[in-house]
Amino acid sequence: MGIEDNSPAAAPLLPKAQMAVPALTKAAPVLSCLLYMSVSVAMTFVNKYTMQVFPLSNIVMIMQMLATWMILQPLRPILGFRPFSLARARQFLYITVMYTASTAFALIGLKTLNVPMYNVIKRLTPMIVLVFKAIVRKHWPPVQIIASVVMVVVGCIVAGVGDLMFDLSGYVFCLLSCACQAAYLLLVEFKGTRAHGPVSSQEMLYYNCITSIPLLILLVLADGEASSLPGAYATGIQTHGASWLWTAILSCSFMGCLLNYALFWCTTTNTALTTTIVGVLKGVVSVGLGFVLLGGVPFSLLNVIGISLNTAGGIWYAQIKYSSAGSRSKPG
């Protein structure tokens, strides 16, 4: 290997393939955000159809985790992470617990909250992330970033005001889901990439899917989905046919694998706040497409104002982050 000589005369001419690698690395944060947003938007509609033909969300989640394991297990030697170990799994235990708890609280909250208000409350996650990081670091981010995040959150609230139907238990569980999701994203960012050395998104996803399955099984047994499985399956077969039922279930399962990977990649190549902002923006896209594709959904002026404010805040945040990254990369 030897000592590096950085003089111009010693700089080798790199093949185009090697020159493309740094460019691809620099583009990874943007690519991961785009992948997460596009897959997540598509997943919204796949999930909706799957829940119509097979409305057992926790069992579908188990199938998503199994599909993820089935894909990653044979690829493990190629991806270059170690075999499963309990010691390594304990390092990611809190991440798995927060991920599962966030999903569980969200499902309980959805039982009493309408979908628009549920989305509004869930979009408060970036504010929790922002406040937590500011308190821990004892340093607030620039005023423009704070204002852009506040604009996103306020826009979400305004968009959902017309559908507000107060239910205390639903609000409590949904807010708990937001807190767990924020903790999960922060743990992925800090614990996953710093506390125990470099951890690839594939390895973290591998451990998350394996260790979350027992927790999800307990949840299925506790909430009654296990006893509802035979009836739900028989109804799905009779109503939609076996081919359509399994097409929906398998599509949802393997797209869930892709979504989980996109989420981990986005979180590990960006900050937790960036990931949550992308989540907010994909929610806006999903709502917009839902109005176009489904039709007949009441659309008030407050909805227009809220969605516009939300989108403007997200664009502003992205512009601030892009400008900040560009200024840091300039020499001198």
Side-chain angles (χ1 to χ4, degrees):
M1 298 288 290
I3 301 176
E4 294 184 0
D5 186 350
N6 294 322
S7 64
L13 295 176
L14 296 177
K16 290 184 178 180
Q18 294 184 18
M19 294 175 63
V21 172
L24 183 60
T25 302
K26 291 180 180 179
V30 176
L31 292 176
S32 65
C33 288
L34 292 175
L35 178 65
Y36 172 45
M37 178 179 290
S38 59
V39 173
S40 186
V41 169
M43 186 70 179
T44 301
F45 297 98
V46 173
N47 272 340
K48 180 176 180 180
Y49 180 73
T50 304
M51 290 299 100
Q52 289 176 343
V53 300
F54 190 70
L56 300 178
S57 58
N58 292 324
I59 291 178
V60 171
M61 275 192 64
I62 292 176
M63 297 188 69
Q64 289 177 353
M65 295 298 104
L66 287 172
T68 302
W69 175 82
M70 289 171 59
I71 292 174
L72 290 179
Q73 181 63 29
L75 293 176
R76 185 185 56 76
I78 300 175
L79 296 175
F81 56 85
R82 292 168 286 181
F84 180 84
S85 69
L86 291 177
R88 192 70 164 163
R90 283 195 292 269
Q91 297 175 4
F92 304 125
L93 180 61
Y94 295 116
I95 295 175
T96 300
V97 170
M98 289 298 104
Y99 173 81
T100 307
S102 173
T103 304
F105 287 136
L107 293 173
I108 297 173
L110 269 174
K111 293 180 180 179
T112 55
L113 280 178
N114 59 77
V115 173
M117 201 58 230
Y118 165 80
N119 288 328
V120 167
I121 297 176
K122 286 289 288 180
R123 287 168 181 166
L124 296 177
T125 302
M127 185 62 70
I128 299 175
V129 173
L130 181 68
V131 171
F132 180 85
K133 292 176 75 170
I135 292 174
V136 170
R137 295 173 174 174
K138 298 180 180 179
H139 176 72
W140 285 94
V143 175
Q144 290 136 326
I145 290 182
I146 297 176
S148 66
V149 174
V150 170
M151 185 181 294
V152 168
V153 175
V154 172
C156 292
I157 294 174
V158 172
V161 163
D163 296 316
L164 183 60
M165 295 183 297
F166 184 79
D167 182 277
L168 181 59
S169 63
Y171 273 64
V172 170
F173 283 117
C174 201
L175 287 171
L176 285 172
S177 177
C178 291
C180 291
Q181 184 182 5
Y184 152 75
L185 292 170
L186 288 164
L187 283 169
V188 169
E189 179 182 351
F190 292 106
K191 187 180 180 68
T193 59
R194 294 179 175 86
H196 300 280
V199 179
S200 68
S201 58
Q202 296 94 334
E203 182 179 6
M204 193 174 295
L205 180 57
Y206 177 73
Y207 276 89
N208 185 73
C209 70
I210 293 177
T211 53
S212 65
I213 288 176
L215 298 176
L216 289 169
I217 291 175
L218 291 176
L219 185 60
V220 165
L221 295 174
D223 69 0
E225 282 196 6
S227 59
S228 302
L229 176 58
Y233 181 75
T235 301
I237 293 290
Q238 293 173 0
T239 306
H240 304 280
S243 59
W244 276 111
L245 177 62
W246 279 104
T247 297
I249 293 175
L250 293 177
S251 298
C252 185
S253 298
F254 285 96
M255 185 169 284
C257 170
L258 180 58
L259 177 61
N260 283 329
Y261 172 73
L263 173 59
F264 273 108
W265 188 29
C266 185
T267 305
T268 52
T269 56
N270 296 280
T271 65
L273 183 59
T274 299
T275 302
T276 53
I277 290 293
V278 172
V280 170
L281 292 177
K282 65 90 180 174
V284 173
V285 174
S286 297
V287 170
L289 289 177
F291 280 119
V292 174
L293 297 178
L294 299 179
V297 179
F299 195 52
S300 67
L301 179 61
L302 279 178
N303 291 131
V304 177
I305 295 174
I307 292 174
S308 300
L309 188 62
N310 176 276
T311 304
I315 295 173
W316 188 18
Y317 174 82
Q319 188 271 330
I320 294 171
K321 298 296 288 185
Y322 178 80
S323 300
S324 176
S327 63
R328 286 197 301 267
S329 63
K330 290 181 181 179

